[in-house]
Amino acid sequence: QLIDFAERGLLTRIDSPLPVGEPRERGASHGPGVRWQQHSLLRAYALALLRREGEEEAGRERHAAVHNELMRDADDRQVYYIMLPDYSQLRHAFQWTITHNLGLALALAGNTANLQAGFNLVRDNYDWASRILSGAREADDESAKGVALGTLANALSRLANLPDEDRGVRLREALGAYDEALKHYRPDTAPLDYAGTQNNRAL
C-alpha cells in the first residue's frame, strides 16, 4: 500500500540533515536521514474519516503524543536535528496541546527547545513558552507555573543572543523569570526542579 501511495504521488521523500562528515547511504528508503511525508490530500481524507467516526480529538492527542516521544528520543540521543523535517508536525501538535493538554505542551516545548535553538527558531521557542505560561496561569496550576516560568526564562536567554535584541534587557527578563520560578519550588519537595532552576539562573 505504501508503494502504491508513493507511485501515485501521495508520499514524498524528504531528507533530514545529518552531521557534517556522516555519510548518507545512497538510495536508502529508511534510517535517521530519511523521512516520508504524506500528501495533504491523504491527510485531509484521514482527518475526514476521523471526524466521521468521532475520533478527531483522540487522533490529534495521539499525534501530539507520538511526535513528543519522537522529539524526546532524538533530543535525549543528541540527534535532535533529524526532527527538522518534521517541524511542521511538531508545530501542529503544539497548537493542539496548548489548548487541550497543558502537560503535553510543556513536555513538547522542553523537548523541542534544542531543535529550535539550533535552527534559528528561537522566536518560536519564546512564543511557545509565553503561551504555556499564560495557560498555566489561567489554569492556576502552581507546578505548571514553575515549569513554564523556567521554560520562558530559558527562551529569554536564547533570545538575548539574537543580533536584533537588547541583550541586557532580555537577560534581566530571564533572571526575573528564574526568580519567579523559584517561588513555585521548594528544595525539600522538588529538589531537582529547584536545583535545575538555580543552575540555569547561574549560567
Side-chain angles (χ1 to χ4, degrees):
Q1 187 177 43
L2 290 175
I3 291 172
D4 281 345
F5 284 163
E7 289 177 346
R8 286 167 171 74
L10 295 173
L11 289 178
T12 303
R13 174 183 163 138
I14 51 177
D15 290 328
S16 302
L18 290 175
V20 175
E22 183 172 329
R24 187 189 306 278
E25 182 182 345
R26 180 180 292 274
S29 61
H30 62 281
V34 177
R35 287 286 189 278
W36 291 89
Q37 187 174 70
Q38 296 177 359
H39 191 281
S40 58
L41 181 64
L42 195 60
R43 293 198 296 273
Y45 179 65
L47 181 58
L49 290 178
L50 287 170
R51 285 175 176 166
R52 189 183 71 184
E53 299 301 321
E55 298 177 4
E56 180 182 356
E57 291 307 304
R60 290 186 183 277
E61 184 170 27
R62 181 61 180 159
H63 171 270
V66 166
H67 279 82
N68 177 56
E69 284 303 305
L70 288 170
M71 189 68 253
R72 180 193 60 76
D73 177 67
D75 195 53
D76 285 350
R77 293 188 291 118
Q78 298 183 14
V79 291
Y80 55 83
Y81 48 83
I82 69 172
M83 292 297 291
L84 183 61
D86 299 288
Y87 188 68
S88 62
Q89 296 298 319
L90 294 166
R91 183 183 280 154
H92 182 68
F94 180 80
Q95 293 295 336
W96 184 87
T97 61
I98 194 62
T99 55
H100 294 85
N101 190 325
L102 185 60
L104 189 52
L106 277 166
L108 188 60
N111 292 327
T112 310
N114 285 329
L115 177 69
Q116 292 171 323
F119 288 95
N120 198 29
L121 297 164
V122 174
R123 295 197 185 282
D124 275 3
N125 182 232
Y126 173 69
D127 176 63
W128 289 18
S130 300
R131 293 177 66 186
I132 287 171
L133 181 56
S134 294
R137 285 174 169 162
E138 184 176 339
D140 199 24
D141 185 325
E142 290 302 311
S143 177
K145 286 179 192 176
V147 178
L149 283 161
T151 300
L152 179 62
N154 292 339
L156 286 163
S157 296
R158 295 185 181 100
L159 206 62
N161 293 320
L162 297 183
D164 56 343
E165 290 287 342
D166 188 318
R167 180 173 172 78
V169 168
R170 289 304 190 184
L171 287 178
R172 285 191 292 274
E173 289 175 345
L175 284 173
Y178 282 130
D179 287 340
E180 191 174 348
L182 288 171
K183 297 176 183 178
H184 298 275
Y185 296 131
R186 284 173 38 198
D188 56 333
T189 58
L192 292 179
D193 290 328
Y194 186 85
T197 303
Q198 289 277 31
N199 183 62
N200 286 336
R201 188 185 188 284
L203 294 175

